[in-house]
Amino acid sequence: MSVVILRKSSSLFFLLLYVMVCNAQSRVTGVILDQDSNPIPEASIQILELQNKGTVSDFDGKFNLEIPSGSYTLQASFVGFKKYIKKIVVNNSKTTSLTIVLQEDIKELSDVIVKAKSNAQNTREKAFEVEVVQTKGLKNVSVDVNSILMTIPGVNVRQRGGLGAGFDFSLNGLSGKQVKFFIDGVPLENFGSSLSLNNFPATLVERAEVYKGVVPIYLGADALGGAVNIITNQRKNDFLDVSYDIGSFNTHRATINGQYYSKKGFAVKVSSFYNYSDNDYKIDGIEIRDELGNDTGIRRDNVRRFHDAYNSQMIRVETGFVDKKFADKLLIGITASANKNEIQHPIDPQNPFGEVFTENDVIKASVTFEKANLLKEKFKVKLYASIGQNNDKVVDTSARKYDWFGNFIERGDQNLGELEFSKTLFEFKDNTHLINAYGSYKINDWSKFNINYTKNYIKRKGEDPARIGRIPFNDPHIINKNIFGVSYDLRLFDATWNTTLFAKGYLLNSEGIIEDSFTTVEADRFTKIENTFEELGYGFASTYKFSDHVQIKGSFEKTFRIPDGYEVFGDGFLLKSNPELLPEESYNANLGVLLNTDINKLKLRFDTNVFLRESENFVAIRSEGIFSRFYNTAAARSTGVEGEIRTLYNDILFLDLNATYQNIIDRNVGENSGVDFLKNQRIANIPYLFGNARIGCNLKDIFSTNDQITFSWGSYYVHDYPLTSFVEGDPNERDIIPEQLSHNVQLGYSFKKGTYNISVQARNVTDERVYDNFEIQQPGRAFYVKLRYYLTNKN
């Protein structure tokens, strides 16, 4: 039945696509911006010669007017800005497209309190429980997206090393693959490790939206615990943004970001980055072993990592047309990314590697199409499609055994690698394609119907010229998942009460080979498996504004997460495949309050959220001797509370505080083990109390007009937590990930209206021993300097 529905939805979408082309009309379109190129929602646009003919700009500052051909006077206005007046000529043969920049009215601003809301504030006030971080103040700092997201309540990121290291992203207690990541609404899961939140620089980002638990249908996500959507520059202005930073551990990072829009609607957008680091920071507590590899009992501190270098690069080019009769946006894009990551050690840091490394490269082609104001200006559609290939490679061809000081011995068996298995040049290739189609129909001024369809297809094939015997993924492994969503938006009482009702359909087809690691009979060791899954999810999100300063939110969703290629297929190395994995299921609920107020010169924002996540069929990794495999295991319940306070005094001094407490229990462990005292016990190896604070100032016009000095001090705290159990064993003998408190300091200077920027940063300034994972030490004190040049033509 689900297949039939999906096929019908696809036919409906392409029928609507045909209708939209046939009904395109001449019109006046445009976007309203402020002097910093920020969109201005709810600005008034009027045609003075036509009585009662006008409109207001939408959330993105865009507007659209249908008027007869002729010469007119267009007027745009918004509170606190000077009126904009322009003569325009409209004819039936083409669309008139305008970019209008409103200038601040200093005299009027002195008497006016209300100003245009930012994109971030508008998103926060949606019915969904969502947190938004704007990166305007962070573009000059040497940080990646993960560093930004760690300042959000409910978010914890545990990294396994320095730049480019693997990480676990946790949101309200759910982590890893349970949280989905997007760039401009495009899933990151098919991009491999070369394009990830731990290497994507903040310079390329406008804002980050973090949806907690309940995810809107337009993302097309099968997320269990929420979603992170990274928004890059969407403004239609010409600019060039170039940056370079250098720092400790021989770290170098560079970005180039630019775009060009012609008056005839032709557009070119380019974004690129390069990262490199030796990651040769020092760690403590290293075992000293004798020539036979036996532990002597001696421990040494300040041992430098010697095989942990990382480099990555990405370039994305998009070109096409905007604001044309046939499309508001039609862009064709190419994205290429690659990385090389030296592996210093496995889970146990006492066993270093000296030559093992991994490589990843991705090539992807895409098309983006958007068209609004169809069917009498009530229907809009967005379409994204891509096709690509992701290549992953593991290289382990050395028969040497290294110690932590770079010394090595040759193994007696030269067929062995450093992992004590046969040498490998294993490589697998993922052929992928993705389709995301979204349509929205405005029923009237207070209701809207939305529809979304997402298809994500992966076919994996493996090869290994160095391996003797069966090669993983020699038989192709396939995942084909389809997600269909519908929603109804309702606005009542002058938009003080907004509600979204939605439903999502999930369809999964997968096939592959499952391996029984415990049998030596070749005929019984490998079995072909085909798996099909169909399910329906549903939910709602609702918010009520008591005033402009007080808002309450509530949301609920029954949702599913379909296991990804890594979990189903494994890595062809130590992680074995399991095509029989079932999707995870969760009931997610949020209840939050948002407060905004101004007290004289003090701006105050308070946001709190209480959450519940009731999950089943958890996908968890299980050891099988020296191998491991993902299984459906635990049923977990996550409850907690998070809060955030942001203050700004006189637009100069700021203080931000947030904290999260979460209680995550395993509802099955006591029953499965037959031990009563283990029932409903908190799951170990997950932080349960953490928070951060940031204080600083922004000083303007210090040495010259339109210059700015910024200073900030940030602190991050994580309470200690056990590795294996909160209740089993002697409390004094449990393995503990210790309490952590680290500090970062940043000083920056910008001048010539932000054209030239320089910043210095000290991370972990007190040189604390920091551990995100048991015995895997994070970098100590480090310093970074960043230079950035930003040139734009806002008019």
Side-chain angles (χ1 to χ4, degrees), residues 648-663:
L648 178 62
Y649 179 75
N650 199 28
D651 289 330
I652 296 176
L653 301 175
F654 62 85
L655 172 63
D656 302 335
L657 302 169
N658 72 64
T660 300
Y661 173 81
Q662 55 193 26
N663 184 34

Side-chain angles (χ1 to χ4, degrees), residues 32-247:
I32 310 293
L33 306 173
D34 64 16
Q35 291 166 277
D36 293 324
S37 295
N38 296 310
I40 302 178
E42 301 180 7
S44 173
I45 301 96
Q46 293 180 307
I47 302 298
L48 299 184
E49 289 83 359
L50 300 177
Q51 189 175 6
N52 299 324
K53 189 64 176 180
T55 186
V56 295
S57 57
D58 64 13
F59 175 77
D60 297 315
K62 297 178 180 180
F63 68 89
N64 180 286
L65 276 172
E66 294 281 350
I67 58 176
S69 60
S71 299
Y72 301 99
T73 305
L74 181 144
Q75 176 181 285
S77 61
F78 189 77
V79 176
F81 292 84
K82 296 178 181 179
K83 290 182 179 179
Y84 176 96
I85 298 177
K86 181 180 179 64
K87 292 288 186 180
I88 61 173
V89 177
V90 180
N91 59 60
N92 292 328
S93 62
K94 65 178 182 178
T95 297
T96 301
S97 181
L98 303 171
T99 298
I100 298 174
V101 179
L102 298 185
Q103 304 293 320
E104 287 186 355
D105 189 332
I106 304 301
K107 181 178 183 299
E108 186 177 351
L109 281 174
S110 65
D111 300 319
V112 174
I113 297 177
V114 180
K115 296 183 181 180
K117 293 180 180 178
S118 66
N119 276 334
Q121 185 62 23
N122 278 287
T123 302
R124 287 190 194 100
E125 293 180 1
K126 289 183 177 181
F128 293 88
E129 184 59 41
V130 56
E131 183 68 41
V132 184
V133 178
Q134 291 179 295
T135 62
K136 183 177 180 180
L138 299 171
K139 288 179 178 290
N140 297 331
V141 186
S142 180
V143 293
D144 52 39
V145 174
N146 267 345
S147 300
I148 297 172
L149 296 177
M150 286 181 66
T151 64
I152 294 177
V155 171
N156 181 260
V157 181
R158 301 168 66 185
Q159 295 203 159
R160 292 184 282 277
L163 178 65
F167 67 94
D168 294 313
F169 185 97
S170 174
L171 178 59
N172 292 155
L174 297 181
S175 61
K177 309 296 183 179
Q178 296 162 345
V179 180
K180 294 295 185 180
F181 304 101
F182 301 81
I183 293 182
D184 297 329
V186 179
L188 270 178
E189 59 189 284
N190 294 340
F191 278 97
S193 61
S194 58
L195 187 58
S196 177
L197 300 190
N198 65 349
N199 63 19
F200 202 84
T203 309
L204 304 182
V205 178
E206 288 298 308
R207 66 184 186 275
E209 300 173 350
V210 180
Y211 290 90
K212 300 180 178 180
V214 183
V215 181
I217 68 165
Y218 81 88
L219 287 176
D222 57 329
L224 200 72
V228 178
N229 190 22
I230 305 302
I231 309 296
T232 61
N233 182 77
Q234 302 296 310
R235 303 168 190 166
K236 296 177 183 177
N237 62 299
D238 302 343
F239 73 86
L240 176 64
D241 194 344
V242 181
S243 70
Y244 175 76
D245 52 277
I246 185 172

Side-chain angles (χ1 to χ4, degrees), residues 340-354:
K340 179 180 178 181
N341 191 12
E342 294 179 352
I343 308 301
Q344 181 66 88
H345 56 75
I347 295 176
D348 182 4
Q350 298 294 352
N351 296 301
F353 299 148

Side-chain angles (χ1 to χ4, degrees), residues 190 364 385-388 431-435 455-458 480:
N190 294 340
K364 190 175 294 288
S386 69
I387 184 170
N431 291 311
T432 67
H433 64 256
L434 173 72
I435 298 173
K455 177 183 179 65
N456 198 340
Y457 176 90
I458 304 173
N480 181 18

Side-chain angles (χ1 to χ4, degrees), residues 684-703:
N685 199 26
I686 300 177
Y688 66 92
L689 177 61
F690 51 91
N692 58 70
R694 187 168 175 261
I695 187 172
C697 62
N698 299 306
L699 305 174
K700 298 181 179 180
D701 301 329
I702 303 300
F703 301 112

Side-chain angles (χ1 to χ4, degrees), residues 82 161 189 231 412 432 450 472 503 539 599 608 632 643 649 728 769 785:
K82 296 178 181 179
E189 59 189 284
I231 309 296
T432 67
N450 312 287
I599 305 174
T608 186
N632 293 108
Y649 179 75
E728 294 180 273
R769 292 186 180 182
V785 177

Side-chain angles (χ1 to χ4, degrees), residues 219 243 401 553 610 755:
L219 287 176
S243 70
K401 185 175 180 62
K553 294 182 175 185
V610 179
T755 301

